[in-house]
Amino acid sequence: MSQPQASPSRVFVELVPWADRARENSLVSGADALPGVRRRHLPSAPAQTATREVHVSGTAEVSASPDRAQVAVRVSSTKEAAAEAKKSVCRRLDYITQSLQQQGLQAENVTVTKDFRRVENAYHMEAEVCIIFTEFGKMQNICNFLVEKLDSSVIISEPQFYHTPGSVESLRRRACLAAVENAWRKAQEVCTLVGQTLGKPLLIKEEEVKEWEGQIEDHPSSRLSSSLTVQQKIKSATIHAASKVFITFEVKGKEKKKKQL
């Protein structure tokens, strides 16, 4: 009687990486651990070298004079006849606007408003020419010319100096950039002193910003705006801005010079 043939056996082998097996063994408690099993501790990853840093602060203060001035020229006339009042004002008003054009002032910087009303038994007409100047020397020349050529019925206001929004924003940026530059120079000098090389900035923070207008000397003649000279008014309208920044820089080791072969 023939013997039954044994079916061929099959062996399945699973290769588990040592790191995975070590992790599995670490999950087994001491009571359940198999005897004779030696645990191998994997070397830990090398600790990252701490970044060397230098922390510095920098301050800066900048100022800007006003970039605009506004002057109002008022012309008025009161007559029994309405036509006479209009004619008197319009004649001088035309002379003023033509003089401004000859001086090269742009139309967008000149605004004319008119007011006509009845005053008791007469007619009163008043016109105002509002002029925006960007050149203060030209402003003084034009105002002096109008005072000389026109009669006392023409009133020229004191110039009002001010800053455009773009000028103020530019002043703030200049203050911040100057403070950053001062901080960078300070950090550069510190690293040079200790024989290191300054690296890239890791943090830049503006901590404080201040703005204020210039003040004129406190004396009796300066308390009234009408008694101030043009230069005093410009100084009073000058804006100052101060910025303080804090910066963290990376510090590198001193670069070694390559030896020449």
Side-chain angles (χ1 to χ4, degrees):
M1 187 173 185
S2 61
Q3 297 291 334
Q5 297 181 356
S7 59
S9 61
R10 298 180 180 178
V11 179
F12 294 90
V13 179
E14 181 180 8
L15 299 179
V16 180
W18 176 257
D20 294 341
R21 294 188 63 183
R23 183 167 56 253
E24 292 176 0
N25 292 337
S26 65
L27 299 177
V28 180
S29 63
D32 297 333
L34 295 177
V37 175
R38 298 177 62 185
R39 295 184 179 181
R40 179 180 177 185
H41 297 281
L42 294 177
S44 58
Q48 295 182 353
T49 304
T51 303
R52 295 186 300 170
E53 302 173 350
V54 58
H55 304 262
V56 295
S57 63
T59 59
E61 179 182 324
V62 296
S63 61
S65 301
D67 58 342
R68 294 290 187 276
Q70 177 177 299
V71 174
V73 181
R74 298 182 181 90
V75 182
S76 62
S77 178
T78 303
K79 302 288 184 179
E80 293 183 357
E84 291 295 326
K86 291 181 179 180
K87 181 180 179 180
S88 175
V89 170
C90 291
R91 184 182 72 254
R92 288 171 290 173
L93 187 60
D94 291 341
Y95 181 81
I96 293 172
T97 54
Q98 290 176 6
S99 298
L100 296 177
Q101 291 176 358
Q102 292 174 358
Q103 293 292 333
L105 287 178
Q106 301 297 323
E108 59 267 21
N109 293 328
V110 180
T111 304
V112 179
T113 57
K114 299 178 182 180
D115 178 51
F116 184 74
R117 60 183 181 272
R118 184 76 180 263
V119 179
E120 296 180 352
N121 296 327
Y123 294 91
H124 180 81
M125 183 170 181
E126 183 174 320
E128 181 181 81
V129 182
C130 183
I131 314 166
I132 304 297
F133 292 95
T134 58
E135 301 178 33
F136 301 156
K138 179 181 289 188
M139 174 195 70
Q140 288 183 285
N141 292 335
I142 291 178
C143 290
N144 293 339
F145 175 80
L146 294 178
V147 169
E148 179 183 356
K149 296 298 181 180
L150 299 175
D151 57 36
S152 58
S153 63
V154 178
I155 301 175
I156 302 178
S157 69
E158 294 291 330
Q160 301 296 321
F161 297 94
Y162 65 96
H163 293 261
T164 56
S167 173
V168 177
E169 184 60 31
S170 176
L171 182 67
R172 298 189 186 113
R173 291 196 301 269
R174 285 170 48 204
C176 181
L177 293 178
V180 171
E181 183 178 2
N182 291 338
W184 176 83
R185 292 184 183 277
K186 183 190 297 184
Q188 184 75 36
E189 293 176 359
V190 169
C191 288
T192 301
L193 181 64
V194 297
Q196 301 296 310
T197 301
L198 185 65
K200 62 184 178 181
L202 304 176
L203 172 68
I204 301 177
K205 180 181 179 182
E206 189 174 34
E207 294 185 322
E208 187 177 6
V209 181
K210 292 182 179 180
E211 293 179 20
W212 67 95
E213 286 190 353
Q215 299 293 330
I216 59 175
E217 294 79 6
D218 187 15
H219 51 78
S221 62
S222 66
R223 295 176 184 175
L224 298 176
S225 176
S226 59
S227 64
L228 298 178
T229 65
V230 172
Q231 292 300 323
Q232 286 177 323
K233 291 180 179 180
I234 293 176
K235 183 178 179 181
S236 179
T238 296
I239 293 181
H240 304 266
S243 175
K244 180 180 180 181
V245 299
F246 175 82
I247 307 181
T248 299
F249 288 96
E250 180 185 9
V251 176
K252 299 180 179 180
K254 193 170 184 180
E255 297 180 356
K256 298 180 179 180
K257 296 181 179 180
K258 295 182 179 180
K259 295 182 179 181
Q260 296 181 354
L261 298 178

